[in-house]
Every structure is written in C-alpha cells, then in structure tokens.
Amino acid sequence: MTSIFTVSPDFTPDHLSGWFIFNTWLQKAMDMHLHLQLYDDFDSLHRAVASDEIDLIYANPYDAAMLVRDKGFKPLVKPEGKADEALIAVSESSPFQSVEDLPPGTRIATTGDPDVHLMGMIMLEPADLDAGSVSLKHCESYVLVAKELIKGTADAGIFLLEAFQDMTSVTRSRLRVLVKSQIHVVHHALMIGPRLAAHRERMAKALTEMHTCEKGAGVLAELAFPRWEAVEDEDMEFMIDLMDALNT
C-alpha cells in the first residue's frame, strides 16, 4: 500500500528537490511506501484533503487547524527555530514610507497562502484598512507578487518572510519593506493522518533523531532545516487557538 505525502504549496522552489530527497529518506527509515504528491495551489490541495487522499503533510498553520479538527490529523514535528512570519513591502520607488501611509483603495498583491495573507491583513489595520477597503490581487507565487510591485500594478504586497529572503538580491533591491510580523509561535508542521496513526510514535522518533546521522543531516541541509523537533498535541492546540484569535 502506498501512502500519499504532500507539502503545503507555499514552500520555496529552491527546496523542491529537497522534499523529494526527504521522501526517499523517510521511506527507507520507515520501510513504507510514500508517494510525494505536490499541488500547484491551495485549492488543489484542499480538494485532495477533502477527498481524504492525504496521509502525511507538511502543513501551514492555517491548514493545520482544519486537518486536526476535521480530518483527525496529529502533529509530528516542526523545523527547529523556524517560525512563519509575514511582511508587507512596496516598490523601492513607492511614495509610501509606512503602513499608515496606505490609503483606502490601495492595491494589495497577495497569494493563496492563508496564514500569511491573514497576518498581512492584520498588519494593515494601523492604516484602518481591511478586505473591504483595499483592492486585492491574488498571485500564484511570491515571485509574482514582487513582479506586480515592480511593474507598478500593485501598491503593496504581502510576503512570507522566508520567501522574501530567498528572492534574488536584485529583486529585493527593487522592493522596500514597510513592516514585519513578530509572532514567533506560528509555524509549519509535519502532520500524520488517521491511516498512518499506528506509525506516529516510530516516525516521530526517526525524524527527531534524523540529524544525528550523516545522511539524515545531509537531507535536512537540502531543506535548510537544522533538525526536527517534536510537536505535542497541546502545542498544536495552542497554535490553532492563536490562529483562531487572529482570525476574529
């Protein structure tokens, strides 16, 4: 029997090969068949989740709530020292120097990444802006958000901090950051579904010890993760409650 493993579509393209290498490592470590299925966008991913096609997922914080409450997923591990943060940026030539300068009707470029979009919209509140007072333009990637700003077809853009930092220095030099979030406790996590529940403890042990062997450490380096650390049920519930609070 082959189980389906997937990764939240907001991962940076630089790490695409790393996820395939990780999938190979995990199959050997667990002696099980895993197929890495990647989805181009969040709509495709959510349809697969709704159809109960997914058994293992590296999920963003927003989807984690749905996976736990509606689909019976459990947390396994998260990358050590990596929190999800968002930022709002403008073109380097933009007249706006702070979020408070953004007027009603501002054109905001954003992606379908739900937790990053949520954090970005919260950071617009000091300008008294919300979804009803701005013009949202949805892009398929953070690179396309940057292009909208550089072309002048959007006034401000919402980015995942890590994705912004992974852009080329040339691209970043043409943008200017107005504000960054500092939440610290919101993070992606590897989560296991009900069909693999019997393997949860063994898989968590293999992952948290992965960095101790040369080959495992090499795979983690491909993902730019120092190591995995365990996520307990109560830690996940705390993050879900926080996301709920941010969303109200």
Side-chain angles (χ1 to χ4, degrees):
M1 174 184 170
T2 299
S3 300
I4 302 299
F5 167 45
T6 192
V7 178
S8 180
D10 56 359
F11 70 89
T12 55
D14 290 348
H15 301 148
L16 175 61
S17 61
W19 284 112
F20 281 97
I21 296 169
F22 173 75
N23 185 56
T24 300
W25 180 90
L26 188 57
Q27 288 185 90
K28 291 180 179 177
M30 295 297 295
D31 191 24
M32 66 168 52
H33 295 291
L34 292 169
H35 171 69
L36 176 57
Q37 177 69 51
L38 299 178
Y39 298 94
D40 292 334
D41 51 52
F42 282 95
D43 287 342
S44 302
L45 170 64
H46 293 161
R47 284 195 295 272
V49 171
S51 302
D52 297 323
E53 298 173 18
I54 308 301
D55 298 295
L56 187 69
I57 179 172
Y58 184 64
N60 67 69
Y62 196 94
D63 286 343
M66 174 265 293
L67 290 163
V68 169
R69 291 175 177 169
D70 299 341
K71 293 297 179 180
F73 276 66
K74 297 288 187 181
L76 282 170
V77 292
K78 65 178 181 179
E80 182 185 60
K82 280 187 174 286
D84 285 13
E85 301 288 358
L87 64 82
I88 294 176
V90 296
S91 167
E92 189 277 336
S93 59
S94 170
F96 304 123
Q97 300 299 316
S98 68
V99 167
E100 290 81 356
D101 292 338
L102 299 174
T106 293
R107 299 168 298 171
I108 305 290
T110 185
T111 67
D113 195 342
D115 58 309
V116 175
H117 177 74
L118 174 62
M119 289 189 281
M121 293 304 294
I122 291 171
M123 289 191 289
L124 290 174
E125 290 179 357
D128 291 327
L129 298 178
D130 57 26
S133 58
V134 299
S135 174
L136 292 174
K137 181 164 188 174
H138 293 278
C139 303
E140 292 185 358
S141 69
Y142 293 107
V143 172
L144 294 179
V145 171
K147 286 184 177 179
E148 294 291 336
L149 298 180
I150 293 169
K151 288 190 302 181
T153 49
D155 302 308
I158 298 173
F159 294 85
L160 175 69
L161 174 60
E162 182 180 4
F164 187 87
Q165 292 171 334
D166 282 345
M167 290 182 184
T168 67
S169 58
V170 172
T171 299
R172 281 186 277 113
S173 70
R174 301 181 69 180
L175 304 173
R176 178 158 40 83
V177 176
L178 295 184
V179 64
K180 298 177 186 176
S181 68
Q182 297 183 42
I183 299 175
H184 303 306
V185 294
V186 175
H187 56 78
H188 280 55
L190 192 64
M191 304 182 67
I192 193 168
R195 286 191 293 267
L196 294 181
H199 302 282
R200 183 186 183 193
E201 184 175 347
R202 189 165 66 92
M203 189 176 290
K205 184 174 188 297
L207 290 165
T208 53
E209 294 178 354
M210 184 177 176
H211 65 287
T212 62
C213 68
E214 183 177 350
K215 186 168 290 187
V219 175
L220 287 167
E222 292 289 333
L223 296 171
F225 295 166
R227 58 180 288 178
W228 293 108
E229 61 181 353
V231 179
E232 304 299 333
D233 289 344
E234 52 267 33
D235 297 329
M236 181 56 68
E237 287 296 333
F238 174 79
M239 187 177 74
I240 291 172
D241 289 344
L242 177 61
M243 293 303 296
D244 285 344
L246 292 174
N247 202 23
T248 55

